[in-house]
Amino acid sequence: GTSIGIDRAYAALEKLGLTEERAAVSEVLVMALDFSLYGEYRRMAVELRDAGLPAEVYVGKKGLKAQMRYADRQGFKVGLLVGGDELAAGEVTLKRLDLPMDHPDKQETVKRSDLVARVKELVG
């Protein structure tokens, strides 16, 4: 058999105008700061989904910088940052991924119990 390669096929489709940019399916990305906390990350995503908010958990083993690049490329609106310290304090850090880096409302910390309500406000 023969193969033209997926890269060449996609490049041809782009040239013909048959591709389109798509926004993320999910609006919220739960970032993995501590890989031992995946259970908690999944619980947060399930809570958000149960409230009608599309959410995804980052499942890779890359650092925060790579996760932020992924979130930016995929078009997420909000990133959730929870490490051991935040979990112990009962808090979640919300990062507005749809705002410029120097925006004063780019990041905030909320109580874990207020997570769903605050994310609903942020994503509209």
Side-chain angles (χ1 to χ4, degrees), residues 49-67:
R49 289 178 198 138
D50 287 348
L53 296 164
E56 179 180 317
V57 178
Y58 187 86
V59 294
K61 297 265 182 180
K62 296 191 177 179
L64 182 58
K65 196 174 203 177
Q67 293 180 52

Side-chain angles (χ1 to χ4, degrees), residues 6-16:
I6 192 70
D7 291 339
R8 289 182 180 165
Y10 189 77
L13 290 172
E14 279 184 314
K15 193 170 189 172
L16 293 171

Side-chain angles (χ1 to χ4, degrees), residues 60-81:
K61 297 265 182 180
K62 296 191 177 179
L64 182 58
K65 196 174 203 177
Q67 293 180 52
M68 292 298 290
R69 280 193 303 269
Y70 170 77
D72 185 52
R73 281 193 315 267
Q74 297 299 316
F76 289 95
K77 291 183 180 179
V78 178
L80 273 57
L81 301 160

Side-chain angles (χ1 to χ4, degrees), residues 65-110:
K65 196 174 203 177
Q67 293 180 52
M68 292 298 290
R69 280 193 303 269
Y70 170 77
D72 185 52
R73 281 193 315 267
Q74 297 299 316
F76 289 95
K77 291 183 180 179
V78 178
L80 273 57
L81 301 160
V82 181
D85 293 341
E86 289 89 357
L87 189 61
E91 298 176 336
V92 178
T93 299
L94 304 177
K95 192 164 199 84
R96 296 282 307 272
L97 303 172
D98 58 345
L99 295 177
M101 289 300 290
D102 59 348
H103 196 282
D105 297 326
K106 182 74 175 172
Q107 186 169 305
E108 66 182 272
T109 301
V110 299

Side-chain angles (χ1 to χ4, degrees), residues 13-62:
L13 290 172
E14 279 184 314
K15 193 170 189 172
L16 293 171
L18 298 174
T19 62
E20 63 182 73
E21 295 266 336
R22 288 183 38 193
V25 173
S26 296
E27 298 184 66
V28 181
L29 177 64
V30 181
M31 297 183 188
L33 299 181
D34 182 339
F35 301 112
S36 69
L37 298 177
Y38 267 119
E40 182 61 26
Y41 298 150
R42 284 190 301 270
R43 280 188 285 281
M44 286 189 288
V46 167
E47 283 178 36
L48 292 164
R49 289 178 198 138
D50 287 348
L53 296 164
E56 179 180 317
V57 178
Y58 187 86
V59 294
K61 297 265 182 180
K62 296 191 177 179

